[in-house]
Protein backbone atom coordinates (compact mmCIF):
# COMPACT_ATOMS: atom_id res chain seq x y z
CA UNK A 1 0.00 0.00 0.00
CA UNK A 2 1.52 3.29 -1.11
CA UNK A 3 0.99 6.74 0.30
CA UNK A 4 -0.10 9.77 -1.67
CA UNK A 5 3.41 11.11 -0.99
CA UNK A 6 4.90 8.05 -2.74
CA UNK A 7 2.79 8.64 -5.88
CA UNK A 8 3.63 12.36 -5.72
CA UNK A 9 7.37 11.60 -5.48
CA UNK A 10 7.22 9.30 -8.52
CA UNK A 11 5.29 11.90 -10.53
CA UNK A 12 7.74 14.67 -9.63
CA UNK A 13 10.67 12.49 -10.68
CA UNK A 14 8.92 11.62 -13.95
CA UNK A 15 8.41 15.33 -14.57
CA UNK A 16 12.09 15.96 -13.67
CA UNK A 17 10.97 18.65 -11.20
CA UNK A 18 12.90 17.36 -8.15
CA UNK A 19 15.79 19.25 -6.56
CA UNK A 20 18.80 18.57 -8.76
CA UNK A 21 21.33 18.23 -5.94
CA UNK A 22 19.31 16.44 -3.22
CA UNK A 23 16.53 14.72 -5.18
CA UNK A 24 13.94 16.20 -2.80
CA UNK A 25 10.45 16.43 -4.23
CA UNK A 26 9.04 18.96 -1.74
CA UNK A 27 10.62 22.25 -2.74
CA UNK A 28 9.39 25.78 -3.25
CA UNK A 29 9.07 24.97 -6.97
CA UNK A 30 6.82 21.95 -6.32
CA UNK A 31 4.62 23.38 -3.53
CA UNK A 32 1.83 24.15 -5.99
CA UNK A 33 1.96 20.56 -7.26
CA UNK A 34 1.81 19.23 -3.70
CA UNK A 35 -1.28 21.32 -2.95
CA UNK A 36 -3.09 20.11 -6.08
CA UNK A 37 -2.12 16.43 -5.77
CA UNK A 38 -4.81 15.10 -3.36
CA UNK A 39 -7.69 16.57 -5.37
CA UNK A 40 -6.23 15.44 -8.68
CA UNK A 41 -5.73 11.90 -7.36
CA UNK A 42 -9.33 11.86 -6.14
CA UNK A 43 -10.45 12.35 -9.75
CA UNK A 44 -8.44 9.28 -10.82
CA UNK A 45 -9.22 6.88 -7.96
CA UNK A 46 -12.60 5.69 -9.27
CA UNK A 47 -11.07 5.05 -12.70
CA UNK A 48 -8.22 2.88 -11.42
CA UNK A 49 -9.83 1.11 -8.44
CA UNK A 50 -11.70 -1.60 -10.42
CA UNK A 51 -8.36 -2.73 -11.89
CA UNK A 52 -6.51 -3.02 -8.59
CA UNK A 53 -6.14 -6.38 -6.88
CA UNK A 54 -7.64 -4.74 -3.78
CA UNK A 55 -11.01 -4.30 -5.50
CA UNK A 56 -13.63 -6.54 -3.83
CA UNK A 57 -15.15 -9.49 -5.65
CA UNK A 58 -18.76 -8.63 -6.47
CA UNK A 59 -19.79 -12.16 -7.49
CA UNK A 60 -21.97 -12.38 -4.36
CA UNK A 61 -24.66 -10.29 -6.06
CA UNK A 62 -23.81 -7.05 -4.26
CA UNK A 63 -25.20 -4.06 -6.11
CA UNK A 64 -23.27 -1.39 -4.23
CA UNK A 65 -20.45 0.11 -6.24
CA UNK A 66 -17.26 -0.04 -4.17
CA UNK A 67 -15.25 3.14 -3.89
CA UNK A 68 -12.19 4.40 -2.11
CA UNK A 69 -12.20 7.05 0.57
CA UNK A 70 -11.07 10.41 -0.78
CA UNK A 71 -7.57 11.48 0.11
CA UNK A 72 -6.99 14.85 1.77
CA UNK A 73 -3.23 15.08 2.23
CA UNK A 74 0.05 13.62 1.07
CA UNK A 75 0.17 11.58 4.29
CA UNK A 76 -2.89 9.48 3.37
CA UNK A 77 -2.54 5.91 2.13
CA UNK A 78 -4.10 4.43 -1.00
CA UNK A 79 -5.75 1.01 -0.79
CA UNK A 80 -4.46 0.09 -4.25
CA UNK A 81 -1.92 -2.45 -5.45
CA UNK A 82 1.65 -1.45 -6.26
CA UNK A 83 1.23 -1.67 -10.05
CA UNK A 84 -1.62 0.86 -9.98
CA UNK A 85 0.30 3.24 -7.69
CA UNK A 86 3.64 3.05 -9.48
CA UNK A 87 2.74 2.58 -13.12
CA UNK A 88 -0.71 4.09 -13.49
CA UNK A 89 -1.40 6.83 -10.92
CA UNK A 90 2.06 8.37 -11.07
CA UNK A 91 1.76 8.91 -14.84
CA UNK A 92 -1.81 10.18 -14.59
CA UNK A 93 -0.82 12.62 -11.85
CA UNK A 94 2.19 13.87 -13.82
CA UNK A 95 0.03 14.40 -16.89
CA UNK A 96 -2.64 16.33 -15.04
CA UNK A 97 -0.15 18.45 -13.09
CA UNK A 98 1.49 19.59 -16.35
CA UNK A 99 -1.65 20.23 -18.41
CA UNK A 100 -1.29 24.03 -18.48
CA UNK A 101 2.47 24.27 -18.06
CA UNK A 102 3.70 21.80 -20.68
CA UNK A 103 0.91 20.30 -22.82
CA UNK A 104 3.26 18.13 -24.90
CA UNK A 105 4.80 16.45 -21.89
CA UNK A 106 1.38 16.26 -20.21
CA UNK A 107 0.00 14.43 -23.25
CA UNK A 108 2.88 11.93 -23.14
CA UNK A 109 2.25 11.17 -19.47
CA UNK A 110 -1.52 10.93 -20.01
CA UNK A 111 -1.11 8.51 -22.92
CA UNK A 112 1.23 6.39 -20.80
CA UNK A 113 -1.36 6.48 -18.00
CA UNK A 114 -4.04 5.17 -20.39
CA UNK A 115 -1.76 2.45 -21.77
CA UNK A 116 -0.75 1.30 -18.29
CA UNK A 117 -4.39 1.33 -17.17
CA UNK A 118 -5.25 -0.92 -20.13
CA UNK A 119 -2.40 -3.21 -19.14
CA UNK A 120 -3.81 -3.38 -15.62
CA UNK A 121 -7.23 -4.26 -17.09
CA UNK A 122 -5.79 -7.04 -19.22
CA UNK A 123 -3.94 -8.59 -16.30
CA UNK A 124 -7.01 -9.05 -14.14
CA UNK A 125 -7.58 -12.67 -13.24
CA UNK A 126 -10.58 -14.27 -14.89
CA UNK A 127 -13.65 -14.92 -12.79
CA UNK A 128 -13.66 -18.61 -13.62
CA UNK A 129 -14.42 -21.03 -16.40
CA UNK A 130 -17.91 -21.17 -17.83
CA UNK A 131 -19.37 -24.03 -19.81
CA UNK A 132 -20.18 -23.49 -23.46
CA UNK A 133 -23.64 -24.36 -24.68
CA UNK A 134 -23.80 -26.46 -27.86
CA UNK A 135 -26.29 -24.40 -29.86
CA UNK A 136 -25.88 -26.54 -33.00
CA UNK A 137 -26.86 -29.80 -31.38
CA UNK A 138 -23.77 -31.70 -32.48
CA UNK A 139 -24.09 -33.78 -29.34
CA UNK A 140 -20.44 -34.77 -29.20
CA UNK A 141 -20.92 -37.99 -31.18
CA UNK A 142 -18.39 -39.15 -33.73
CA UNK A 143 -20.13 -37.99 -36.89
CA UNK A 144 -19.04 -35.35 -39.34
CA UNK A 145 -21.56 -32.77 -38.09
CA UNK A 146 -20.31 -32.87 -34.49
CA UNK A 147 -16.65 -32.73 -35.55
CA UNK A 148 -17.18 -29.54 -37.54
CA UNK A 149 -19.53 -27.70 -35.15
CA UNK A 150 -22.67 -28.74 -37.00
CA UNK A 151 -21.52 -27.33 -40.34
CA UNK A 152 -22.16 -29.82 -43.08
CA UNK A 153 -19.16 -30.18 -45.42
CA UNK A 154 -17.15 -28.01 -43.03
CA UNK A 155 -13.98 -29.90 -43.82
CA UNK A 156 -13.86 -28.10 -47.18
CA UNK A 157 -13.50 -24.68 -45.49
CA UNK A 158 -10.18 -22.92 -45.25
CA UNK A 159 -9.62 -22.59 -41.53
Amino acid sequence: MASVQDVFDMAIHLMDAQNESTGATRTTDTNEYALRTPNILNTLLDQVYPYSDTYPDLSDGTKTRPSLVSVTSLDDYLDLDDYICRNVLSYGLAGLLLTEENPTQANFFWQTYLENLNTAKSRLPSSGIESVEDVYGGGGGDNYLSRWGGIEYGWFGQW
Side-chain angles (χ1 to χ4, degrees):
M1 192 159 49
S3 69
V4 174
Q5 180 71 51
D6 295 333
V7 175
F8 175 78
D9 291 346
M10 287 181 264
I12 293 299
H13 282 280
L14 287 169
M15 296 161 46
D16 197 24
Q18 73 279 359
N19 181 293
E20 293 299 323
S21 57
T22 65
T25 59
R26 296 292 303 269
T27 65
T28 54
D29 293 336
T30 63
N31 275 340
E32 178 189 342
Y33 297 146
L35 290 172
R36 293 172 48 210
T37 291
N39 287 330
I40 289 175
L41 282 181
N42 285 331
T43 66
L44 298 175
L45 291 180
D46 290 336
Q47 291 176 4
V48 301
Y49 187 38
Y51 309 108
S52 173
D53 66 6
T54 60
Y55 191 76
D57 181 20
L58 299 179
S59 63
D60 62 355
T62 306
K63 293 187 181 207
T64 307
R65 179 180 298 146
S67 62
L68 291 173
V69 177
S70 295
V71 296
T72 57
S73 75
L74 295 180
D75 297 326
D76 290 344
Y77 281 86
L78 299 164
D79 186 23
L80 297 166
D81 65 56
D82 289 338
Y83 182 83
I84 295 292
C85 291
R86 280 183 266 193
N87 298 315
V88 180
L89 279 181
S90 58
Y91 282 94
L93 178 60
L96 292 175
L97 286 173
L98 289 175
T99 301
E100 294 289 323
E101 190 176 319
N102 188 338
T104 303
Q105 196 174 23
N107 187 48
F108 166 76
F109 288 131
W110 189 253
Q111 289 302 316
T112 305
Y113 161 80
L114 293 174
E115 290 171 15
N116 291 349
L117 184 60
N118 280 330
T119 300
K121 289 178 190 179
S122 69
R123 291 184 179 167
L124 285 174
S126 66
S127 59
I129 299 173
E130 298 179 15
S131 62
V132 178
E133 179 183 345
D134 182 7
V135 296
Y136 297 109
D142 191 25
N143 61 42
Y144 68 90
L145 287 178
S146 66
R147 279 183 271 143
W148 300 102
I151 302 172
E152 189 171 10
Y153 303 114
W155 56 86
F156 294 120
Q158 294 183 2
W159 307 102

